[in-house]
């Protein structure tokens, strides 16, 4: 199945003059007479979309939809792709349904911190064959220094229009990541870290905390590296094991042999451990200055930072007590 990936926010509709014909319209919230699939192309004009809706019986007149779309700035966010829309509805309801991502076929939603292993099944569900995706991964162009796609598929909601390839879909996601890296300053900074290393840091920050703690975690990473201390991040072991939903990490798990195991290896992992969002990228380059070496989430929403090992040990006991109380939703 040949599809092209386009992020919702990148689509701009071009509305042109459309004749005024009185704009007959169906009653809003009336019962639907069935459904139709409306194919929207990237950059398609508002008048073209209006005509498609009219011919399929979605709206009573093309002019009714055009008038609603011109008067509503949300219409510029209509995504390309195959939309399942009710028949015989008013123009306002038609626009609302076109803006509903749940009505788009072939939708791929990449959440911040998602792994490649979690993203690829969405490609298959969207209609791409596993062989097509595998070939695309082998051929796709990556920024210099990146051996895998992990970290390069920017978190966003993507939809697909017929006529493009899996290679084009992946490439557009990678291009978006490169754009966000440039926006964050990865390629123009005097930082001692390379753009590749900064993306690794961003992925660690994304995995280890909530957005309000991102910049502090970024500083902890720097502080540990500066004194030659292993990062010892649970998130890197969870990445190796592909386990989510647990804050508990057994001592045996920390002994896993892997270049991504920051309990056994010094320095940064060889690559990102997820696909970080823009906030994590920003924090990777702009840490909050502090002398912290340790941090721990004692309870949900309560993450604490310190340079004192004794203080950290006390907080760790508090964390374990809260874990036993069931404050964390986790599984061993």
């Amino acid at each position: 199945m040949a599809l092209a990936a386009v992020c919702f926010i990148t689509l701009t509709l071009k509305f042109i003059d459309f004749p005024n014909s009185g704009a007959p319209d169906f009653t809003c919230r009336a019962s639907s007479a069935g459904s139709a699939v409306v194919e929207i192309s990237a950059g398609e004009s508002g008048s073209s979309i209006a005509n498609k809706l009219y011919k399929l019986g979605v709206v009573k007149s093309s002019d009714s939809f055009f008038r609603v779309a011109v008067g509503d700035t949300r219409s510029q966010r209509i995504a390309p792709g195959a939309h399942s829309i009710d028949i015989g509805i008013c123009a306002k309801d038609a626009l609302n349904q076109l803006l509903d991502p749940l009505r788009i076929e072939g939708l791929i939603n990449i959440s911040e911190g998602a792994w490649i292993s979690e993203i690829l099944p969405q490609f298959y569900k969207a209609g791409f064959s596993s062989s097509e995706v595998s070939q695309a991964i082998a051929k796709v162009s990556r920024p210099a220094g990146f051996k895998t796609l992990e970290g390069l598929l920017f978190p966003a909601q993507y939809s697909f229009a017929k006529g493009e390839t899996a290679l084009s879909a992946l490439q557009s996601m990678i291009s978006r990541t490169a754009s966000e890296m440039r926006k964050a300053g990865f390629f123009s900074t005097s930082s001692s870290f390379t753009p590749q290393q900064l993306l690794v840091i961003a992925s660690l920050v994304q995995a280890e905390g909530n957005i309000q703690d991102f910049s502090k975690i970024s500083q902890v990473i720097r502080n540990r590296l500066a004194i030659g201390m292993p990062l010892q991040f649970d998130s890197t072991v969870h990445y190796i094991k592909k386990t989510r939903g647990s804050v508990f990490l057994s001592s045996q798990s920390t002994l896993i042999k892997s270049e991504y195991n920051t309990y056994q290896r010094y320095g940064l992992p060889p690559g990102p451990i997820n696909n970080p969002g823009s906030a994590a990228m920003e924090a990777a380059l702009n840490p909050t200055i502090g002398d912290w070496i340790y941090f721990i989430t004692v309870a949900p929403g309560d993450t604490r930072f310190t340079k004192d090992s004794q203080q950290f040990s006390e907080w760790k006991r508090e964390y374990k007590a809260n874990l036993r109380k069931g404050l964390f939703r986790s599984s061993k």
Side-chain angles (χ1 to χ4, degrees), residues 79-114:
H83 298 250
S84 178
I85 306 296
D86 292 340
I87 292 174
I89 58 177
C90 70
K92 182 180 179 180
D93 287 349
L95 176 59
N96 287 335
Q97 290 190 15
L98 284 174
L99 291 168
D100 184 355
L102 297 179
R103 288 180 172 270
I104 303 175
E105 299 179 3
L107 186 68
I108 290 181
N109 184 28
I110 302 178
S111 59
E112 294 178 345

Side-chain angles (χ1 to χ4, degrees), residues 21-81:
S21 58
D25 199 358
F26 289 119
T27 303
C28 286
R29 293 179 295 278
S31 298
S32 170
S35 63
V37 176
V38 183
E39 290 282 352
I40 306 296
S41 302
E44 187 167 359
S45 69
S47 58
S48 175
I49 294 174
N51 278 322
K52 285 182 177 180
L53 295 176
Y54 170 65
K55 290 177 180 179
L56 288 170
V58 173
V59 294
K60 197 168 186 177
S61 70
S62 52
D63 194 20
S64 65
F65 178 80
F66 183 77
R67 284 187 170 198
V68 168
V70 168
D72 193 327
T73 57
R74 295 181 305 151
S75 61
Q76 297 181 17
R77 299 198 300 270
I78 296 176

Side-chain angles (χ1 to χ4, degrees), residues 196-215:
Q196 294 80 13
Q197 290 173 325
L198 286 170
L199 193 61
V200 173
I201 293 174
S203 73
L204 294 171
V205 165
Q206 185 77 66
E208 284 289 325
N210 296 317
I211 190 169
Q212 65 267 23
D213 299 317
F214 280 178
S215 60

Side-chain angles (χ1 to χ4, degrees), residues 273-329:
I273 63 168
N274 58 48
N275 292 272
S278 55
M281 290 185 187
E282 180 73 19
L285 189 59
N286 299 284
T288 297
I289 302 303
D291 58 3
W292 315 292
I293 298 296
Y294 308 99
F295 68 98
I296 186 169
T297 299
V298 176
D302 182 6
T303 300
R304 305 173 188 178
F305 295 78
T306 183
K307 67 174 181 179
D308 187 279
S309 60
Q310 184 175 348
Q311 176 70 81
F312 175 72
S313 296
E314 291 176 5
W315 287 345
K316 192 171 184 179
R317 286 192 290 272
E318 187 176 344
Y319 149 73
K320 289 183 177 180
N322 288 334
L323 183 64
R324 288 192 296 271
K325 292 177 183 177
L327 268 63
F328 295 91
R329 294 181 179 178

Side-chain angles (χ1 to χ4, degrees), residues 168-217:
S168 176
L170 285 171
Q171 199 68 65
S172 68
M173 295 175 181
I174 294 172
S175 296
R176 176 71 188 280
T177 296
S179 175
E180 294 294 334
M181 289 172 67
R182 285 192 295 272
K183 188 184 300 184
F186 282 19
F187 298 103
S188 58
T189 179
S190 57
S191 170
S192 58
F193 296 103
T194 67
Q196 294 80 13
Q197 290 173 325
L198 286 170
L199 193 61
V200 173
I201 293 174
S203 73
L204 294 171
V205 165
Q206 185 77 66
E208 284 289 325
N210 296 317
I211 190 169
Q212 65 267 23
D213 299 317
F214 280 178
S215 60
K216 285 187 175 181
I217 296 172

